[in-house]
């Protein structure tokens, strides 16, 4: 079965850095799949953070542009989110998302989330 497992969350001080990983299994990671990161802060709606296409094209939310970098390692079936210059507003549960479109079908999968807390 398809599974996405996030890791790398934790507590970091403002201005610090953190690298999140999302390991995909079950055949979801491939040439048809766009990988993305979302986050949901306390009392807030879930928001899109970044995505990366199978070809490696990336896009970012304005709130993280210039600070976060999404990447993927196809050999390892893993997507990463490098987070630099972290701010308190970045505190959230971060979710990995996989979206696959093929032969008229669309499938989306979510990881369980990993907590990122930015605090002094």
């Amino acid at each position: 079965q398809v599974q996405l497992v996030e890791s790398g969350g934790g507590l970091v001080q403002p201005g610090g850095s953190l690298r999140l990983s999302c390991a995909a299994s079950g055949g979801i990671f491939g040439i048809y799949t766009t990988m993305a990161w979302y986050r949901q802060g306390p009392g807030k709606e879930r928001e899109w953070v970044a995505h990366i296409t199978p070809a490696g094209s990336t896009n970012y939310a304005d709130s993280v542009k210039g600070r976060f970098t999404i990447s993927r390692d196809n050999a390892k079936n893993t997507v990463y989110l490098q987070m630099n210059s972290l701010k308190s507003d970045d505190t959230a549960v971060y979710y990995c998302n996989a979206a696959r479109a093929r032969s008229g079908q669309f499938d989306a999968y979510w990881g369980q989330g990993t907590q990122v807390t930015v605090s002094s």
Side-chain angles (χ1 to χ4, degrees), residues 45-118:
E45 301 285 339
R46 184 176 299 185
E47 65 174 343
W48 167 76
V49 174
H51 71 247
I52 183 167
T53 70
S57 179
T58 61
N59 275 290
Y60 300 90
D62 288 341
S63 59
V64 307
K65 194 172 298 181
R67 300 187 298 120
F68 290 11
T69 302
I70 187 172
S71 61
R72 65 194 290 164
D73 187 333
N74 292 333
K76 295 182 178 180
N77 294 163
T78 301
V79 63
Y80 305 94
L81 186 68
Q82 178 66 48
M83 305 183 294
N84 299 325
S85 301
L86 284 162
K87 305 182 292 186
S88 60
D89 287 347
D90 296 318
T91 295
V93 177
Y94 284 72
Y95 297 92
C96 181
N97 171 268
R100 178 174 60 193
R102 183 188 180 187
S103 300
Q105 294 182 274
F106 180 81
D107 303 295
Y109 302 90
W110 294 91
Q112 81 291 342
T114 184
Q115 176 71 48
V116 172
T117 302
V118 185

